[in-house]
């Protein structure tokens, strides 16, 4: 069974982090960085796959989410220090990291600032730096909406997040249905599955358990400079992105794969934003831990019927 009881980790500076473990307790350590908005409970979706791969999946709430204390003025560069402190508390020397969607910038920061401790870095349907003018020029049609995250005054982010937070705490299943209604069929069908929907709803509710401060901080960070250039990343990175992703466009995945020097990008023709991490979880975890089993870089993968 998954151990999704919350463990409060107290690094030397006394800050509180919410943490849950899934997969194999004595397996290969892999830190899981949840999406936006999300929580550590998101990782429960891949518990069984992690068990089969003998992976100890360690999921941490970012500050202000779930059970992790809010951190005023946090930056992406703070996250590697936080993960290093948590790993020290857990007596882990080296480990892998996996960032999904809005968790991808945090995985990239770890690859930039603590490569000596990482075995593998994984990015799945990951967000790219939204302050990069070259990236924004590549975005077409409705994907150009990401440019507004850089331009809009930050106070305008608060009202929708406050509403989302109330909905997540009071009617998480209803909020999930609303989200599903905005998605194409290949993603909508997946997240409304009986074995998936309740777990996603639970993660949403936990994400806003303290309010919307964590989500607001994330949204602000996504529209600001990351504090490092992708070209500065020297750690090996494995990246997966779905060609049919309508939430984080595939152009972002290709941008990351192009700019990160030692990045192996795998692009799946028939996967979307939710179908990719949920339906391809075992393939992704296998690839992270057994890189010899990966398909060639920039592979489009087999079509699904």
């Amino acid at each position: 069974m998954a151990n999704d009881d919350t463990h409060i980790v107290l690094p030397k500076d006394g800050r509180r982090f919410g943490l849950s473990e899934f997969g194999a307790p004595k397996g290969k350590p892999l830190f899981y960085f949840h999406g936006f908005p999300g929580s550590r409970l998101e990782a429960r979706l891949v518990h069984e796959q992690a068990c089969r791969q003998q992976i100890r999946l360690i999921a941490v709430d970012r500050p202000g989410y779930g059970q992790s204390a809010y951190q005023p003025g946090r930056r992406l560069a703070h996250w590697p220090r936080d993960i290093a402190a948590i790993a020290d508390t857990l007596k882990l020397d080296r480990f892998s990291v996996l960032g999904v969607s809005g968790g991808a910038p945090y995985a990239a920061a770890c690859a930039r600032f603590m490569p000596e401790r990482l075995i593998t870095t994984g990015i799945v349907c990951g967000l790219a730096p939204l302050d990069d003018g070259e990236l924004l020029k590549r975005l077409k049609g409705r994907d150009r909406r990401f440019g507004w995250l850089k331009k809009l005054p930050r106070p305008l982010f608060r009202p929708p997040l406050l509403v989302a937070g109330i909905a997540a705490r009071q009617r998480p299943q209803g909020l999930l249905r609303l989200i599903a209604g905005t998605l194409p069929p290949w993603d909508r069908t997946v997240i409304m599955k009986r074995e998936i929907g309740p777990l996603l709803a639970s993660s949403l509710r936990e994400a806003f358990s303290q309010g919307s401060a964590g989500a607001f901080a994330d949204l602000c960070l996504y529209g600001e400079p990351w504090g490092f250039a992708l070209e500065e990343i020297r750690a090996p990175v494995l990246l997966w992105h779905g060609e049919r992703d309508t939430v984080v466009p595939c152009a972002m995945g290709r941008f990351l794969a192009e700019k990160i020097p030692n990045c192996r990008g795998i692009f799946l023709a028939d996967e979307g934003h939710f179908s990719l991490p949920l339906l391809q979880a075992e393939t992704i975890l296998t690839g992270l831990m057994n890189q010899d089993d990966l398909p060639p870089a920039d592979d489009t993968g087999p079509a699904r019927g």
Side-chain angles (χ1 to χ4, degrees):
M1 292 293 292
N3 179 11
D4 54 5
D5 292 331
T6 301
H7 304 280
I8 304 301
V9 180
L10 298 174
K12 292 180 181 179
D13 63 7
R15 285 183 296 123
R16 185 184 79 247
F17 288 91
L19 179 148
S20 293
E21 294 198 29
F22 305 93
K26 296 184 179 180
K28 296 167 282 189
L30 171 64
F31 279 91
Y32 180 97
F33 303 154
H34 61 77
F36 167 87
S39 74
R40 69 193 186 283
L41 301 184
E42 185 181 296
R44 203 184 201 290
L45 289 159
V46 295
H47 166 65
E48 293 182 3
Q49 294 91 335
C51 285
R52 287 195 289 270
Q53 296 297 324
Q54 287 298 296
I55 294 171
R56 179 185 178 187
L57 200 60
I58 305 162
V60 185
D61 289 324
R62 289 196 287 278
Y65 287 103
Q67 302 303 310
S68 288
Y70 178 68
Q71 181 183 351
R74 69 178 170 96
R75 294 289 182 267
L76 277 178
H78 297 157
W79 187 244
R81 296 200 299 265
D82 294 341
I83 294 300
I86 293 169
D88 290 344
T89 302
L90 297 175
K91 296 180 170 52
L92 297 175
D93 180 25
R94 300 190 72 225
F95 44 86
S96 299
V97 299
L98 173 62
V100 178
S101 189
Y106 294 90
C110 288
R112 167 62 180 86
F113 292 112
M114 54 188 299
E116 71 285 350
R117 298 195 68 171
L118 300 187
I119 300 170
T120 313
T121 299
I123 290 176
V124 177
C125 51
L127 202 65
L130 300 180
D131 74 308
D132 192 301
E134 182 182 348
L135 170 65
L136 295 179
K137 288 178 182 177
R138 297 187 188 187
L139 300 180
K140 306 299 181 184
R142 65 187 299 271
D143 293 336
R144 300 186 70 177
R145 69 191 185 277
F146 284 97
W148 289 104
L149 279 179
K150 178 181 178 181
K151 298 175 182 178
L152 286 175
R154 297 299 181 250
L156 293 180
F157 296 162
R158 288 193 180 276
L161 289 176
L162 288 170
V163 172
I166 293 170
R169 291 189 297 274
Q170 295 183 357
R171 298 190 64 187
Q173 289 278 12
L175 178 59
L176 186 63
R177 284 193 294 272
L178 284 175
I179 293 171
T182 68
L183 299 173
W186 49 87
D187 278 336
R188 182 169 61 249
T189 300
V190 171
I191 71 170
M192 295 311 295
K193 284 186 174 181
R194 183 176 301 179
E195 67 273 22
I196 292 175
L199 295 180
L200 280 175
S202 177
S203 179
L204 274 173
R205 181 173 57 239
E206 180 66 6
F208 289 99
S209 60
Q210 297 183 58
S212 60
F216 178 72
D218 256 1
L219 204 54
C220 291
L221 280 176
Y222 293 148
E224 297 172 358
W226 284 11
F228 61 94
L230 295 175
E231 292 84 354
E232 295 172 5
I233 296 174
R234 291 292 176 261
V237 175
L238 300 174
L239 178 149
W240 289 262
H241 214 113
E243 297 276 8
R244 301 173 82 181
D245 193 327
T246 62
V247 179
V248 177
C250 192
M252 290 200 185
R254 294 195 179 278
F255 185 83
L256 290 170
E258 175 187 322
K259 296 297 182 180
I260 297 173
N262 195 6
C263 182
R264 187 175 189 177
I266 299 168
F267 300 89
L268 302 179
D270 288 337
E271 299 296 359
H273 190 73
F274 292 93
S275 69
L276 172 59
L278 293 171
L279 299 183
Q280 302 291 337
E282 191 131 20
T283 299
I284 290 168
L285 293 178
T286 300
L288 275 173
M289 297 304 172
N290 305 282
Q291 297 184 44
D292 291 341
D293 295 335
L294 283 171
D298 202 27
D299 188 76
T300 55
R304 286 208 326 270

